[in-house]
Amino acid sequence: MAEKVVHKSWIIQYNLHSIIGILLLVFLFVSFYVIEDNSDGVRIPHNKPKRKKSSPKCDLFSGSWIFDNVSYPLYREQHCTFMPDDFACHKFGRKDSKFQHWRWRPYDCDLPRFNGKALLEKLKGKRVVFVGDSLNKNQWASIVCLIESTGIPSLKPLSYKGNLIAFEVKEYNATIDFYWSPLLVESNCDDPVNHRIRDRIIRIEAIENHARHWNDADILIFDSFTWWHEHQMTLLWGSFNSSDAIYKKVGMKWRRYEMALRTWSDWLEVQIDRNRTRLFFMSLSPSHKNATDWGMRNDQTCYEETEPISRKEYWGSQTDRKMMEIAEASINGLKRRGLDIQYLNITQLSDYRKDAHPSIYKRNWVAPEKKQLKTPRSNDDCVHWCLPGVPDVWNQILYAYIMDSQEN
């Protein structure tokens, strides 16, 4: 009888341990597949990698656009006193605002919200210069509006001197400037106002006349793509006024671009203070002139587009990947030579945004022709970006890189 009791007790203990073991396995199984909410209310399987805090070590350039009409836009067009007419789309008649309410969300981390005061603390006593074409001016205008939106009182009026526009924040002894140099090297298109020249002449080995205006900067942000798309340009060896200068008209867009970047790279390698200056190069900003890329008729453009392209990994036919490869090779060469330079690849994230260009809602610096007035699409701007808009995201990414720096 005692043996039966002991045997029965052992069976009960065995079954209890088995039940506990099964429950533990079920708990682990469920825990592995449990789902949790992210900031947008989208359900994400728990076994996917957790979203990290933003860092340049994370891929900030792969992600998707999320509609967010609560926290975006980051500022209002009409409240930015420094807004250039080139990017003030509402001022020139655009009625819709949906293009302002899209937030870029990287797949594996969070992009930080821009904090102008934190940035200025980082930039105290420093000089930042955006060097390039009107798309770089587009980005510069964005960061100026972002900083003004923080309510900092001591903002001085813009100062214009030659190719330079200076934006000074007196309280922080910081300046954020834009320098017009669309081809980086010297050319006959260097006048900041009168540069609409079809026969472009480039001093392919000369950069000093530009570089002396920004060689003392603490942070330099470059871009140069759009102006190289002409089928032919004239290369110049020597000076414009020299009787023995050599002129040669050439096609070979990619070769011309490569030569210019070599001149730029060589100058940086020799002249830049590596202990002081951080360098950034913005990748190609895509245009949306060819609506067949997103399934529309070939006579349509970005005009009246109000939604981003939803097709994942979309690339437009006008996005010149070969030029991007040349730029990346040049940047990688500078890194091998010991320079602190980052290539910010904003191309694809911007390529989705066919809805965010000025189109016809812009100031016309040259009076439209009769044909253009009759057919608005023939005069629309599908290259630059309305503000607030896509360049704000470029600056959020730039902000993440600057704030990640260990320097004071």
Side-chain angles (χ1 to χ4, degrees):
M1 184 70 178
E3 285 183 7
K4 286 184 178 181
V5 171
V6 170
H7 180 67
K8 190 173 183 181
S9 174
W10 181 85
I11 290 173
I12 291 169
Q13 289 179 19
Y14 177 84
N15 289 339
L16 183 61
H17 291 158
S18 298
I19 291 168
I20 291 171
I22 291 168
L23 288 173
L24 183 60
L25 287 172
V26 170
F27 176 78
L28 291 171
F29 183 84
V30 172
S31 297
F32 186 75
Y33 287 99
V34 74
I35 55 178
E36 63 185 16
D37 289 329
N38 72 351
S39 59
D40 297 294
V42 179
R43 306 291 282 183
I44 299 176
H46 190 73
N47 61 327
K48 287 189 178 179
K50 285 186 176 180
R51 295 179 68 78
K52 305 168 187 172
K53 290 184 178 180
S54 96
S55 164
K57 297 176 183 67
C58 164
D59 180 5
L60 299 177
F61 309 101
S62 299
S64 59
W65 289 96
I66 308 296
F67 186 72
D68 180 353
N69 62 355
V70 176
S71 54
Y72 281 72
L74 299 175
Y75 57 90
R76 300 289 177 182
E77 175 190 312
Q78 64 270 27
H79 295 159
C80 180
T81 57
F82 303 101
M83 176 73 72
D85 283 349
D86 311 76
F87 320 124
C89 300
H90 280 169
K91 178 179 178 179
F92 288 92
R94 183 162 182 171
K95 302 299 182 187
D96 69 298
S97 295
K98 191 173 182 181
F99 69 93
Q100 298 181 347
H101 296 293
W102 292 92
R103 174 169 57 87
W104 177 250
R105 195 182 79 170
Y107 290 131
D108 297 324
C109 53
D110 295 312
L111 192 60
R113 190 174 178 86
F114 187 93
N115 184 325
K117 290 183 179 178
L119 177 64
L120 289 170
E121 284 291 341
K122 195 80 169 177
L123 299 180
K124 188 175 286 187
K126 290 181 167 50
R127 184 182 183 217
V128 179
V129 187
F130 288 79
V131 179
D133 58 21
S134 53
L135 285 159
N136 218 16
K137 183 181 180 182
N138 211 164
Q139 185 177 359
W140 167 82
S142 159
I143 203 168
V144 168
C145 290
L146 284 164
I147 288 172
E148 185 187 21
S149 71
T150 61
I152 295 165
S154 55
L155 300 179
K156 296 184 70 173
L158 296 177
S159 168
Y160 295 81
K161 186 176 180 181
N163 292 36
L164 189 73
I165 308 175
F167 171 71
E168 183 180 352
V169 186
K170 189 175 180 182
E171 181 181 339
Y172 291 86
N173 189 29
T175 58
I176 301 174
D177 302 341
F178 169 72
Y179 184 88
W180 171 260
S181 180
L183 297 154
L184 296 182
V185 293
E186 297 166 28
S187 75
N188 65 341
C189 309
D190 289 342
D191 189 289
V193 178
N194 301 312
H195 49 249
R196 301 174 191 278
I197 299 168
R198 301 310 302 176
D199 185 13
R200 294 174 183 171
I201 302 172
I202 299 102
R203 294 186 68 202
I204 203 70
E205 294 181 346
I207 196 171
E208 182 61 37
N209 282 341
H210 290 318
R212 62 191 175 87
H213 294 283
W214 36 261
N215 62 359
D216 64 339
D218 299 280
I219 297 176
L220 284 165
I221 303 103
F222 296 97
D223 93 315
S224 184
F225 286 98
T226 303
W227 281 64
W228 292 97
H229 287 160
E230 289 294 311
H231 293 299
Q232 286 199 323
M233 290 183 175
T234 300
L235 303 188
L236 165 62
W237 287 268
S239 62
F240 284 104
N241 300 319
S242 174
S243 58
D244 59 353
I246 300 172
Y247 292 82
K248 185 174 179 62
K249 181 164 281 195
V250 297
M252 301 184 294
K253 170 181 68 176
W254 296 326
R255 181 68 181 123
R256 296 188 315 244
Y257 186 55
E258 192 174 40
M259 292 168 70
L261 288 185
R262 183 179 297 120
T263 299
W264 169 77
S265 298
D266 289 346
W267 188 91
L268 290 174
E269 182 184 13
V270 174
Q271 300 293 339
I272 284 296
D273 183 345
R274 301 176 191 215
N275 296 318
R276 173 185 179 182
T277 306
R278 295 190 69 190
L279 305 168
F280 296 92
F281 196 97
M282 305 303 297
S283 74
L284 182 150
S285 173
S287 62
H288 293 90
K289 197 76 174 172
N290 183 7
T292 59
D293 286 350
W294 56 89
M296 305 296 283
R297 298 194 316 269
N298 63 4
D299 64 338
Q300 292 184 273
T301 64
C302 69
Y303 177 58
E304 294 186 330
E305 291 289 347
T306 58
E307 298 282 339
I309 293 165
S310 58
R311 190 164 79 240
K312 197 174 180 181
E313 307 299 324
Y314 168 83
W315 284 91
S317 61
Q318 296 174 306
T319 303
D320 194 327
R321 297 206 218 184
K322 177 64 176 176
M323 285 190 79
M324 292 176 66
E325 289 171 8
I326 292 168
E328 287 185 72
S330 181
I331 272 69
N332 289 334
L334 284 169
K335 285 182 177 180
R336 287 192 296 271
R337 288 182 256 177
L339 274 77
D340 177 12
I341 184 165
Q342 299 295 330
Y343 181 69
L344 302 190
N345 194 343
I346 49 79
T347 302
Q348 191 169 55
L349 72 86
S350 307
D351 224 346
Y352 296 118
R353 296 302 308 277
K354 62 180 170 59
D355 59 311
H357 296 285
S359 183
I360 64 169
Y361 306 108
K362 58 178 183 175
R363 177 173 178 175
N364 288 299
W365 297 97
V366 178
E369 300 172 0
K370 286 183 179 179
K371 178 186 174 183
Q372 292 173 327
L373 291 171
K374 195 176 292 186
T375 315
R377 283 190 180 90
S378 64
N379 189 41
D380 59 0
D381 179 356
C382 299
V383 174
H384 300 95
W385 304 93
C386 296
L387 292 179
V390 172
D392 301 329
V393 172
W394 304 350
N395 282 321
Q396 283 182 274
I397 293 172
L398 177 64
Y399 170 81
Y401 274 82
I402 292 173
M403 298 305 290
D404 190 65
S405 167
Q406 298 304 311
E407 300 171 6
N408 293 325

